Amino acid sequence: MTPSAQISAVIELLLAIQKEKYIPADSTANRFFRRRRYIGGGDRRFVSGKVWEILRCYRKLEWWLKRVGSPINPRMMVAAYLVLSGNSINKVHNFYSGEKYAPLLLNNNEILYLQSLVNKPFVSAEMSKAVIYEVPDWVYPIINDQYGDKTEKELSTLLEPATLDLRVNFLKVEDRYKAREILASENIQTELMNISPWGLRAQGRQSITSTNAFKNGLVEIQDEGSQLIALMTGVKSSMRVLDYCAGAGGKTLAMAMMMENKGHIIASDIFPARLNAAQSRLRRAGVFNCETHIFAEDAKWLKRRVESFDRVLVDAPCSGTGTWRRNPDARLRFKENDLLELVEKQAHILDSAARMVKKGGRLIYATCSILRQENQDQINNFLERNNNFSLVEPDTIPELLPEEFMKKTSFQLTPAQNQTDGFFCTVMVKN
């Protein structure tokens, strides 16, 4: 593709993401590229990379366009991004040439708007903290109240690109070092993770899914924080385990590996498409101690198994604030009422899942949120409502975890502090 055609594709994809308000940007991007198979791998990486950069500074671009009186649309967002990134007006004008596959020619008004942005910094002293750190206005006070003098570091790190983390599947390869060798033979360079004993971190943006190591189930894409949640379950090969909100099965896969394909796991979710994806991943990983069930409160399979599980993992639906590095579009859609609804839903799910834990069994609650309302506050309220549950003793946390985690019954990870996505996890026991 020519540079102008690439910029045109950036505008088109950004427009598609804006139109699909309730669909994650990565899903929209995948569909966008499937319908345009003529776009090669290098061009695809350029287009998606630029779109994600724009999503990470969306509020600042919006602020500048309002400032100069410009319409706010994908066409001007991209042009403003180019100018604020140091491109000359002439260069931007060449991108918007109006020729075949290029964006339409810039009109006189658009040129005037862009000229007003020349030599302007991305960050203005007149911007609010919420705009600078790309969070909704109502969210900033909540995070600031929680993190205090660490707020700016936490939010700055959430604006950085996420790492590409892998979990080595010990059902198919003996250790991380062997997996690392195999990946290196396919030109994928990795380093050992600092916390997870199963983790490898790939260097830069690499196409893991096209490797034989991935296709044959030797590695799975999974953030280090998510791997630590699986470790906190402490599952063993003799156990009956329920993954209550399994989604596409990332933690299910990790627990099956911990159980050495023994015992029994049930992965449930309300969305059939997610469970279909989980089944595909389970087959690829060589897992056969797991079955999947569509979740419903009155499902017969659920009623028959009340108080029968040694471990119940609740990876609860949440704000996803801890994954904003990966999903910068999500912060633009996050509304105050969403948080209120999520907190209520999480409480209901926790109470429902608690019924499934047998006496002496454990309930593990996790989110990919950095907000106290969804995490520690949620657990405190649950324990007040359910006096037959308590936090586990620190010395019963699984020994595979690093020492700093073995002394905790719960943890809050953030990108700034742990170089992982933002995750919360706590472990409770049914007395």
Side-chain angles (χ1 to χ4, degrees):
M1 297 174 72
T2 64
S4 290
Q6 288 178 329
I7 295 301
S8 184
V10 170
I11 295 169
E12 285 183 56
L13 178 52
L14 194 58
L15 179 61
I17 290 169
Q18 282 191 352
K19 285 182 176 179
E20 300 288 359
K21 292 182 179 180
Y22 305 106
I23 298 176
D26 56 351
S27 298
T28 301
N30 288 337
R31 188 167 61 251
F32 178 89
F33 289 119
R34 277 199 304 271
R35 292 173 178 173
R36 295 163 176 81
R37 296 195 180 276
Y38 57 84
I39 300 180
D43 291 322
R44 190 179 298 123
R45 284 189 292 275
F46 175 88
V47 171
S48 59
K50 279 288 176 281
V51 168
W52 257 250
E53 287 174 19
I54 289 168
L55 290 173
R56 287 193 183 96
C57 59
Y58 194 95
R59 292 208 69 190
K60 289 188 279 289
L61 291 172
E62 197 174 49
W63 187 91
W64 274 117
L65 288 174
K66 285 180 181 177
R67 180 87 166 188
V68 300
S70 167
I72 299 172
N73 54 49
R75 172 181 169 83
M76 289 304 294
M77 293 285 279
V78 174
Y81 169 82
L82 292 170
V83 172
L84 291 169
S85 298
N87 291 281
S88 68
I89 294 294
N90 284 340
K91 188 170 183 179
V92 176
H93 201 282
N94 290 336
F95 286 139
Y96 287 70
S97 65
E99 297 175 357
K100 190 176 183 181
Y101 305 125
L104 293 175
L105 195 66
L106 291 170
N107 62 42
N108 290 336
N109 285 338
E110 289 172 331
I111 292 172
L112 288 174
Y113 299 140
L114 296 175
Q115 284 175 336
S116 301
L117 298 177
V118 172
N119 295 326
K120 293 290 192 295
F122 255 107
V123 178
S124 167
E126 297 179 51
M127 291 176 177
S128 68
K129 295 287 189 183
V131 170
I132 291 172
Y133 295 111
E134 297 287 329
V135 297
D137 292 336
W138 66 272
V139 169
Y140 184 83
I142 293 175
I143 294 178
N144 190 48
D145 179 61
Q146 181 174 338
Y147 290 95
D149 58 5
K150 297 178 181 177
T151 297
E152 294 190 9
K153 183 178 180 182
E154 293 291 347
L155 292 179
S156 294
T157 309
L158 276 174
L159 289 173
E160 297 172 1
T163 56
L164 177 54
D165 291 357
L166 307 175
R167 178 182 58 78
V168 176
N169 179 12
F170 289 173
L171 296 176
K172 291 205 170 189
V173 63
E174 56 266 34
D175 57 42
R176 288 193 289 177
Y177 300 96
K178 183 61 178 176
R180 198 178 178 202
E181 284 180 24
I182 294 170
L183 286 164
S185 71
E186 298 192 72
N187 298 315
I188 302 293
Q189 304 304 318
T190 60
E191 56 188 28
L192 301 183
M193 285 181 179
N194 294 325
I195 310 174
S196 169
W198 312 321
L200 294 175
R201 183 157 286 164
Q203 298 172 6
R205 297 175 62 198
Q206 303 189 59
S207 182
I208 298 296
T209 56
S210 63
T211 65
N212 290 324
F214 178 84
K215 292 175 182 176
N216 295 330
L218 275 64
V219 294
E220 280 287 335
I221 297 172
Q222 186 176 27
D223 184 81
E224 185 173 22
S226 180
Q227 296 179 35
L228 295 177
I229 290 169
L231 274 165
M232 289 286 279
T233 65
V235 294
K236 299 185 185 301
S237 57
S238 59
M239 290 182 176
R240 291 168 58 83
V241 177
L242 173 60
D243 193 345
Y244 204 69
C245 309
K251 297 176 186 67
T252 308
L253 287 163
M255 290 190 294
M257 180 187 72
M258 292 172 70
M259 296 167 71
E260 300 177 324
N261 248 339
K262 300 171 185 175
H264 187 220
I265 303 176
I266 292 179
S268 71
D269 202 89
I270 62 173
F271 296 107
R274 291 180 183 173
L275 287 182
N276 289 339
Q279 288 171 347
S280 175
R281 296 175 77 185
L282 291 165
R283 285 193 297 271
R284 187 174 66 238
V287 170
F288 48 79
N289 68 336
C290 178
E291 62 179 289
T292 59
H293 282 291
I294 301 296
F295 176 84
E297 291 280 3
D298 59 350
K300 290 181 180 178
W301 71 266
L302 200 62
K303 291 179 179 179
R304 288 196 299 265
R305 293 176 170 86
V306 169
E307 286 198 338
S308 70
F309 291 97
D310 298 281
R311 299 287 188 272
V312 176
L313 171 61
V314 176
D315 185 7
C318 67
S319 63
T321 46
T323 66
W324 277 353
R325 294 186 306 167
R326 300 182 192 281
N327 308 301
D329 58 301
R331 68 184 81 207
L332 302 173
R333 298 193 302 267
F334 190 33
K335 306 292 186 245
E336 193 165 6
N337 196 53
D338 295 339
L339 181 59
L340 298 174
E341 291 178 358
L342 283 165
V343 168
E344 184 178 339
K345 182 184 291 186
Q346 290 158 358
H348 174 75
I349 290 172
L350 261 175
D351 289 341
S352 178
R355 299 178 298 122
M356 311 308 297
V357 184
K358 74 179 189 182
K359 291 180 177 66
R362 295 187 180 187
L363 176 63
I364 300 94
Y365 175 77
T367 72
C368 51
S369 170
I370 62 169
L371 302 180
R372 186 173 52 215
Q373 290 92 326
E374 300 179 89
N375 298 335
Q376 197 58 60
D377 288 354
Q378 191 67 261
I379 293 304
N380 292 341
N381 292 334
F382 171 80
L383 292 174
E384 284 183 12
R385 295 192 306 273
N386 297 272
N387 57 14
N388 58 334
F389 277 86
S390 61
L391 297 175
V392 298
E393 294 298 321
D395 59 3
T396 64
I397 295 297
E399 65 279 1
L400 277 175
L401 285 162
E403 187 175 350
E404 63 179 300
F405 287 92
M406 288 173 65
K407 297 176 182 176
K408 298 178 180 180
T409 59
S410 61
F411 61 68
Q412 173 71 71
L413 305 174
T414 71
Q417 297 176 49
N418 310 99
Q419 293 76 56
T420 67
D421 281 352
F423 280 102
F424 174 83
C425 180
T426 197
V427 185
M428 297 166 283
V429 62
K430 193 168 190 175
N431 302 314

